[in-house]
Amino acid sequence: MQKYNVDSVNLELSGLEAVLAERLTNSLETDDLLDVAKGLIALDKEVYKVEEDARKLRLTGQLDIQVYTALSGGYRRLSDRLTKLAQQDEHAREISTLYRALRFTNEAVSLSDYLRELAR
């Protein structure tokens, strides 16, 4: 089994960015603002989960700081890029309102669930 490393992280994040950017762009084009907000929330939840997992690994002495730094920074950059993409749309205010309203509800799914919805 190959160890998860910085190159793996970068490859994973570039693929994820392509999929999420396409989905958000399509959702913006079809005025599915709810989907845009859910995607941004799912990404933010993933950032939080990475931070949470890193704390646990650090406490057990298993944290690979280079992988963590690449993963955490990569997700934050991805979140920033996709947020800017959503803000370029004329519906930025509505997306922001939906984001704030949904981020702590059951409507806000995890990133893996959000991506699974894509396969349907």
Side-chain angles (χ1 to χ4, degrees), residues 37-89:
K38 287 167 102 178
L40 295 174
I41 292 167
L43 194 52
D44 286 347
K45 280 186 166 189
E46 191 68 16
V47 169
Y48 178 79
K49 183 161 178 27
V50 166
E51 298 287 332
E52 188 177 75
D53 291 345
R55 274 186 235 112
K56 291 176 188 174
L57 290 170
R58 188 182 70 229
L59 291 172
T60 62
Q62 298 174 345
L63 180 64
D64 182 331
I65 194 70
Q66 290 177 326
V67 169
Y68 163 72
T69 302
L71 196 56
S72 178
Y75 271 113
R76 289 185 190 285
R77 281 188 298 280
L78 180 56
S79 180
D80 290 345
R81 285 185 199 132
L82 294 179
T83 298
K84 286 178 186 170
L85 175 68
Q87 290 173 344
Q88 291 176 356
D89 190 74

